[in-house]
Amino acid sequence: MSEKVTLLDKTFVKYINREEVDEAITRLAKEIMLEYRYDDPILLITLNGAVFFAVDLIKQLDFPCRISCVKLSSYSGTESTGEIKNLIGLNEDISGKRILILEDIVDTGQTYVHLYNMLMKAGAKDVRMATMTMKPDAYKADLPVHYVGINIPNKFVVGRGLDYDGYGRNLPDIYQVITD
Ligand code: IMP
């Protein structure tokens, strides 16, 4: 796989190797098993991007758990629109359940806060976040992010499910945008 990729009008350079991402996910799986083993949690996958991370993570969990999916949208190109839309909502009873949201990236935290409020209102017992990557310098929310795979700087990235206008999700490593 080459060190640079071009998607639409932007060029990206390889930034995090697949092995490093895999190791981070394995560490998260261990932490999650310790916390949730006896709790019958629901793992909530945010479509589309988190599917890749979720599959890599969930197949390492050795306790009974269920998954569900939601689809939200706040990004257009490389910028957050500041407005979150529920494109596909939750359609099951989550009252009294522990919910672990699975995200590919936590940026400003807006999506997390939106989901947190929605899930607590629907009666969840508790809601936590497990994210493959996080941009701590961009994070503006007060909620704790319990499980972070890799902290990254506040620059746009693609790969491992992360996209630029729909492209780049299939890259097995993480690439960072080259800004000029
Ligand atoms: P937040 O609501 O600002 O935390 O943004 C979360 C969502 O923004 C993620 O689920 C992604 O869809 C998108 N996002 C934020 N940063 C990036 C990035 O660097 N690459 C691709 N998508 C991103």
Side-chain angles (χ1 to χ4, degrees), residues 90 92-96 116-124:
L90 199 67
E92 62 195 276
D93 182 11
I94 58 156
S95 47
Y116 182 91
N117 292 337
M118 180 179 108
L119 296 165
M120 290 306 281
K121 212 167 139 191

Side-chain angles (χ1 to χ4, degrees), residues 34-169:
L34 281 178
E35 175 67 27
Y36 287 94
R37 176 172 303 282
Y38 303 108
D39 294 345
D40 190 22
I42 294 176
L43 306 179
L44 189 65
I45 304 168
T46 57
L47 301 173
N48 297 322
V51 167
F52 296 76
F53 164 56
V55 169
D56 289 343
L57 179 86
I58 293 168
K59 66 190 178 191
Q60 298 188 54
L61 303 179
D62 66 355
F63 62 88
C65 58
R66 291 181 292 160
I67 66 157
S68 192
C69 298
V70 285
K71 186 166 185 177
L72 308 165
S73 160
S74 73
Y75 252 63
S76 169
T78 60
E79 296 294 331
S80 174
T81 60
E83 181 203 348
I84 296 173
K85 293 184 210 140
N86 274 15
L87 302 178
I88 299 174
L90 199 67
N91 57 1
E92 62 195 276
D93 182 11
I94 58 156
S95 47
K97 305 300 287 182
R98 297 196 74 187
I99 312 290
L100 182 63
I101 305 166
L102 303 182
E103 263 286 19
D104 46 7
I105 194 160
V106 172
D107 183 17
T108 63
Q110 238 187 347
T111 311
Y112 180 22
V113 170
H114 176 89
L115 269 176
Y116 182 91
N117 292 337
M118 180 179 108
L119 296 165
M120 290 306 281
K121 212 167 139 191
K125 183 176 171 198
D126 83 330
V127 177
R128 289 185 177 190
M129 165 67 75
T131 184
M132 179 177 73
T133 57
M134 173 159 181
K135 296 178 182 168
D137 294 341
Y139 193 65
K140 297 196 192 88
D142 292 328
L143 293 172
V145 181
H146 287 86
Y147 308 101
V148 178
I150 302 175
N151 279 312
I152 60 169
N154 195 5
K155 278 185 117 184
F156 197 78
V157 288
V158 292
R160 300 293 291 235
L162 292 157
D163 73 302
Y164 171 48
D165 269 353
Y167 294 95
R169 296 194 197 277

